[in-house]
């Protein structure tokens, strides 16, 4: 079953090679190598041609690769990687070879151009990421499992959020809970109390949580190769009226954005649905970041749900909806959920 998934991904990638007039494509990003092959190690590259697919690694991984990676011709790079690619390019008459321009270092590209002199190296972006943007049923299930763990950790953490406990203590507890469950935090947890919550990516500090604090907790994990991302606000007493008003506005904005999620909707319009509510209440300048981002094999991946996005929502997309208001000196409120675009609308995965 799983090998069929990777075979389908390679077939789709080969079709994209035809669409962009490439004879081959060099994949070097670890996450993209894993996506098309299932290999979860390092120091491996994949060269996909319109005919064959080559998996190139070194002696440290070759035995594992031969046992687990199917559908590829596995090559042990006894020589340098560059020479292996040159030999393949020469044998298969590869005139135009695409490479991941945002991943391959400039010095590597320069050297590769010299060695593979008979081929044209074509900088490309988004070839594999464009496939990853639509999740299949297995990926959606793995994302849901990651989210279930995050929700469980959050429920346990809520009970620890009380006056006298530090932000750092809560953050470290989150990391330990994930490790105890066989996962790991996919970013340093954000635990920001009171005025510290006005910083979107505040670092946990020794500051002790006080009574009547509003505490921002942003957490997520990587489990079985897939990620989750969730933000909740926890109150340790009674909210002051200004923060309560902000919280109401953010919650209303999130409801509006989620209602706007459906196949064919412009992601920029989904962003606008939340932004319009926030701006309408006079807080527009206090919401500076995009409304959301894709989540999958990476916690931040395509698509971006922002005013600059040219994408439209398609079934299988998974992304966050996280409107916020940040008031320096007072505090901030962010509510983040993950949604799946379905054939008829959307499913909120994190509730």
């Amino acid at each position: 079953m799983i090998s069929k998934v990777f075979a389908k991904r390679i077939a789709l990638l080969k079709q994209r090679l035809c669409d962009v007039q490439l004879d081959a494509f060099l994949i070097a990003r670890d996450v993209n190598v894993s996506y098309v092959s299932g290999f979860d190690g390092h120091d491996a590259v994949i060269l996909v041609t319109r005919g064959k697919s080559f998996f190139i690694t070194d002696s440290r991984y070759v035995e594992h690769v031969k046992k687990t990676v199917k559908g590829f011709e596995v090559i042990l790079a006894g020589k340098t990687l560059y020479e292996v690619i040159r030999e393949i390019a020469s044998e298969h008459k590869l005139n135009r070879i695409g490479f991941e321009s945002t991943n391959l270092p400039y010095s590597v590209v320069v050297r590769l151009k010299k060695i593979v002199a008979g081929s044209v190296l074509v900088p490309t972006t988004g070839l594999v990421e464009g496939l990853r943007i639509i999740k299949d049923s297995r990926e959606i299930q793995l994302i849901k499992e990651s989210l279930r763990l995050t929700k469980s950790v959050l429920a346990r953490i809520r009970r620890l959020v009380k006056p006298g406990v530090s932000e750092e203590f809560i953050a470290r507890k989150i990391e330990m809970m994930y490790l105890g469950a066989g996962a790991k935090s996919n970013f340093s947890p954000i635990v920001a109390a009171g005025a510290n919550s006005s910083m979107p990516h505040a670092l946990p500090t020794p500051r002790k949580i006080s009574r009547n604090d509003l505490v921002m907790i942003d957490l997520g994990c990587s489990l079985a190769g897939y990620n989750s991302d969730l933000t909740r606000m926890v109150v340790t007493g009674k909210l002051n009226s200004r923060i309560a008003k902000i919280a109401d506005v953010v919650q209303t904005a999130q409801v509006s954005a989620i209602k706007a999620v459906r196949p064919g909707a412009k992601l920029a319009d989904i962003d606008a649905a939340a932004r319009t509510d926030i701006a309408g209440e006079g807080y527009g300048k206090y919401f500076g970041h995009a409304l959301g981002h894709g989540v999958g094999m990476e916690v931040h991946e395509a698509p971006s749900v922002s005013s600059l996005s040219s994408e439209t929502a398609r079934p299988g997309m998974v992304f966050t909806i996280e409107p916020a208001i940040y008031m320096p000196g007072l505090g901030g409120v962010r509510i983040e959920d993950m949604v799946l675009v379905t054939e008829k609308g959307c499913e909120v995965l994190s509730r």
Side-chain angles (χ1 to χ4, degrees):
M1 169 61 183
I2 292 179
S3 60
K4 290 182 179 179
V5 168
F6 298 125
K8 181 179 179 181
R9 292 172 183 175
I10 285 291
L12 289 171
L13 183 57
K14 288 182 177 181
Q15 181 58 55
R16 296 201 73 182
L17 295 186
C18 296
D19 295 342
V20 297
Q21 298 181 326
L22 292 174
D23 298 309
F25 183 58
L26 180 64
I27 305 171
R29 281 192 74 198
D30 285 348
V31 66
N32 288 341
V33 168
S34 179
Y35 179 77
V36 300
S37 70
F39 179 69
D40 57 2
H42 304 285
D43 297 317
V45 300
I46 289 174
L47 185 65
V48 178
T49 73
R50 296 189 186 188
K52 290 188 174 182
S53 301
F54 301 91
F55 193 104
I56 308 166
T57 188
D58 62 40
S59 59
R60 293 171 297 171
Y61 299 104
V62 67
E63 184 176 358
H64 175 66
V65 169
K66 286 181 176 179
K67 288 180 179 179
T68 59
V69 175
K70 308 300 180 184
F72 293 82
E73 182 174 325
V74 178
I75 298 177
L76 173 62
K79 305 174 183 178
T80 70
L81 170 68
Y82 307 97
E83 290 173 319
V84 172
I85 293 173
R86 178 179 61 191
E87 291 175 359
I88 295 172
S90 175
E91 180 181 350
H92 295 271
K93 296 180 172 57
L94 304 178
N95 296 318
R96 289 170 54 81
I97 303 174
F99 67 92
E100 297 168 314
S101 59
T102 58
N103 181 74
L104 220 55
Y106 177 76
S107 60
V108 172
V109 175
V110 169
R111 186 175 177 188
L112 199 55
K113 280 185 176 181
K114 289 180 181 179
I115 291 180
V116 193
S119 304
V120 176
L121 291 184
V122 182
T124 62
T125 59
L127 241 62
V128 177
E129 289 82 358
L131 300 178
R132 286 172 48 201
I133 206 169
I134 303 299
K135 275 61 178 178
D136 60 33
S137 58
R138 174 177 170 272
E139 290 181 290
I140 291 168
Q141 183 58 38
L142 290 171
I143 289 169
K144 287 181 176 180
E145 289 173 9
S146 180
L147 263 172
R148 274 195 288 272
L149 177 56
T150 287
K151 289 166 64 179
S152 173
V153 168
L154 178 63
R156 293 162 62 193
I157 283 296
R158 281 180 182 270
R159 296 193 289 269
L160 301 179
V161 179
K162 58 186 67 174
V165 176
S166 74
E167 296 172 343
E168 288 181 336
F169 176 83
I170 298 296
R172 300 296 82 81
K173 279 290 187 180
I174 291 171
E175 293 173 330
M176 291 170 63
M177 287 179 186
Y178 279 138
L179 289 172
K184 62 180 179 180
S185 288
N186 46 24
F187 55 88
S188 181
I190 297 169
V191 181
N196 287 352
S197 60
S198 70
M199 296 178 283
H201 281 186
L203 297 175
T205 73
R207 178 197 190 280
K208 297 289 196 298
I209 296 169
S210 302
R211 181 169 175 77
N212 300 327
D213 261 347
L214 184 63
V215 185
M216 179 185 294
I217 300 178
D218 188 346
L219 72 167
C221 75
S222 176
L223 177 68
Y226 282 81
N227 290 273
S228 51
D229 194 4
L230 191 63
T231 304
R232 290 291 185 265
M233 308 302 300
V234 180
V235 187
T236 60
K238 183 178 179 181
L239 287 181
N240 73 55
S241 58
R242 292 180 68 192
I243 287 290
K245 169 63 176 176
I246 290 170
D248 286 343
V249 172
V250 171
Q251 191 165 34
T252 298
Q254 195 195 46
V255 169
S256 295
I258 290 173
K259 286 182 178 178
V261 178
R262 62 184 183 280
K266 294 179 180 179
L267 299 189
D269 290 344
I270 298 171
D271 177 275
R275 208 166 296 278
T276 298
D277 282 349
I278 291 172
E281 293 292 337
Y283 297 104
K285 68 178 182 179
Y286 300 109
F287 178 29
H289 57 68
L291 178 68
H293 57 84
V295 182
M297 295 183 75
E298 296 176 287
V299 70
H300 288 88
E301 62 181 39
S304 172
V305 185
S306 78
S307 60
L308 302 177
S309 177
S310 59
E311 287 270 5
T312 57
R314 289 177 283 159
M317 282 185 173
V318 175
F319 49 79
T320 64
I321 299 289
E322 47 183 303
I325 296 172
Y326 308 103
M327 303 283 289
L330 178 64
V333 174
R334 178 169 69 246
I335 304 173
E336 178 184 25
D337 282 282
M338 289 173 57
V339 302
L340 164 68
V341 182
T342 64
E343 294 290 343
K344 296 182 179 180
C346 88
E347 176 186 352
V348 181
L349 299 177
S350 46
R351 292 181 183 169

